[in-house]
Amino acid sequence: MSARVSRLRRFQSEEHAEEQEEIACPLCGGTRSTPVMVTRDLLFAKPGHYTLVACAQCELRFVNPRPTPPSLGPHYPADYFGYSLHEDEPPLLQPFLRSIARGISLRRLKYLEAGVGRIQPGAKLLDVGCGVNRFLHSVRDQRGVEGLGLDFKPEIVSYVKDKLQMPIMQGSLGSVPLEDGRFDIVTMLEYLEHEPDPLAVLDEARRITRQGGHLALELPYLGLVSRIFGPNWWNYDIPRHLIFFTPKTLERVLARAGFELLHVEKFTLPLYIGMSVLQALGLRHWRKHRELYPVLSVVTGLPFLPFQALLPEFMFCVARAV
Ligand SMILES: [Zn+2]
């Protein structure tokens, strides 16, 4: 896999005590940009500031400068959500969290099928950045697909292999050997925005997807909620999220990799907005309030529930390999 992002400068940031890099626009290669917002790693309360910029040429929004790939590791501690297991959560919360996770997987399946049609038994599906394989588990139960997960976190891979006994590979796209055109569907759910080199990842996704097969992406959506909450918007989650697409910039980036964008569904998760309200109220450091956070976010999210269709925070995008 070839690196596509042009790195202009690498330096040691004293403010962050981490190595950072300044990059050209990952989509068009442009080097002129305008700062949009300054924020911090709010989730883990780390020192230092990050700037979100908008490319002057193509409008792509990305964090610049940003941690180098090795410096990103400390921003993903073991208790980061993507890796959390329900059995490690407080017992009273477990049924609530399981039901939310199941709802999320079934919604994803619905949006996926809105783009690709009903998935046939035996379809070959790869979920990149699969975490503990919740989505593949649901799709296997519902449709009988042959799913394979891919995740770079060794502890998660062992858990899925040994405890769940589901197929998974350890690594990232480009670092594991997968044959050309092997998959009918490749999914990247809340994944691409974390990738330092999204074009290279999409190229590799195209190589392993059969012609006429599909790619599904779930991404943050910069809409009204992001403007209302600014840096306190929960879905900014900088610097774990490095790049923010719009349907327009996504269409361009997909076309360069050999995908045609078919379908974009904008949506939010019920009560998700409550997390942004909590951040805006100054209740950060969710670790300290771990047990309270889900309950409080339900309370603060409730007033928005009747309007959720007007307040999308994610987009689910389906593209065809051409
Ligand atoms: Zn650009």
Side-chain angles (χ1 to χ4, degrees):
M1 183 170 63
S2 63
R4 300 282 291 271
V5 169
S6 165
R7 293 172 164 97
L8 305 172
R9 185 166 76 95
R10 193 170 272 222
F11 61 99
Q12 190 67 35
S13 163
E14 284 179 25
E15 193 197 18
H16 302 75
E18 69 185 9
E19 190 185 48
Q20 296 202 340
E21 60 189 15
E22 194 181 315
I23 57 167
C25 170
L27 172 51
C28 75
T31 52
R32 284 183 307 114
S33 63
T34 325
V36 177
M37 185 183 79
V38 177
T39 188
R40 314 160 66 90
D41 183 341
L42 294 174
L43 191 59
F44 295 111
K46 288 185 172 288
H49 295 83
Y50 298 94
T51 305
L52 182 71
V53 304
C55 173
Q57 248 166 259
C58 76
E59 299 171 22
L60 184 76
R61 294 191 175 198
F62 57 101
V63 179
N64 203 20
R66 65 186 193 180
T68 55
S71 312
L72 280 170
H75 293 280
Y76 290 87
D79 58 349
Y80 176 59
F81 306 119
Y83 307 128
S84 67
L85 302 174
H86 291 146
E87 47 263 49
D88 295 341
E89 300 292 343
L92 275 176
L93 278 180
Q94 288 184 20
F96 173 64
L97 295 171
R98 273 183 224 284
S99 122
I100 290 181
R102 185 176 151 76
I104 289 174
S105 292
L106 292 178
R107 183 198 324 263
R108 287 169 160 173
L109 175 60
K110 183 177 114 186
Y111 293 152
L112 175 60
E113 291 191 330
V116 312
R118 192 179 167 93
I119 298 170
Q120 297 305 310
K124 294 187 173 59
L125 196 150
L126 174 73
D127 189 24
V128 181
C130 60
V132 291
N133 247 10
R134 292 196 180 111
F135 178 65
L136 283 181
H137 202 275
S138 278
V139 187
R140 188 188 63 180
D141 286 356
Q142 298 287 322
R143 298 289 183 265
V145 301
E146 262 182 51
L148 174 65
L150 178 63
D151 207 282
F152 74 94
K153 197 94 171 169
E155 304 89 293
I156 292 298
V157 171
S158 311
Y159 176 84
V160 171
K161 248 187 214 162
D162 304 337
K163 280 258 170 85
L164 306 180
Q165 305 203 320
M166 291 181 72
I168 186 167
M169 293 176 92
Q170 198 247 317
S172 52
L173 268 195
S175 77
V176 289
L178 296 165
E179 308 88 61
D180 289 4
R182 169 168 168 186
F183 297 98
D184 299 302
I185 300 170
V186 174
T187 55
M188 297 183 190
L189 308 173
E190 298 188 37
Y191 177 80
L192 197 64
E193 66 273 28
H194 297 262
E195 261 298 331
D197 200 344
L199 261 76
V201 169
L202 291 174
D203 282 349
E204 178 68 2
R206 176 63 193 88
R207 185 186 68 73
I208 60 171
T209 307
R210 70 167 169 80
Q211 192 169 5
H214 293 90
L215 170 69
L217 302 156
E218 186 174 296
L219 297 160
Y221 175 70
L222 296 174
L224 185 60
V225 186
S226 70
R227 290 197 287 278
I228 292 172
F229 288 97
N232 289 315
W233 184 41
W234 187 262
N235 223 357
Y236 268 129
D237 201 21
I238 290 169
R240 282 161 296 283
H241 293 177
L242 297 169
I243 294 181
F244 296 86
F245 296 97
T246 60
K248 200 169 102 184
T249 52
L250 185 67
E251 188 170 18
R252 285 188 56 194
V253 81
L254 286 170
R256 281 179 56 163
F259 290 103
E260 177 195 3
L261 182 59
L262 298 178
H263 185 80
V264 177
E265 181 83 36
K266 296 169 195 161
F267 70 100
T268 193
L269 304 174
L271 309 172
Y272 185 82
I273 198 168
M275 313 278 247
S276 300
V277 178
L278 292 181
Q279 292 236 48
L281 291 173
L283 194 65
R284 293 177 184 151
H285 311 199
W286 64 275
R287 261 178 182 162
K288 286 191 205 154
H289 313 288
R290 198 173 176 126
E291 296 182 23
L292 270 181
Y293 228 94
V295 180
L296 287 177
S297 68
V298 167
V299 174
T300 51
L302 266 177
F304 297 90
L305 200 57
F307 314 107
Q308 63 168 343
L310 304 171
L311 301 168
E313 300 186 63
F314 297 89
M315 52 182 183
F316 194 99
C317 311
V318 180
R320 181 171 45 216
V322 289

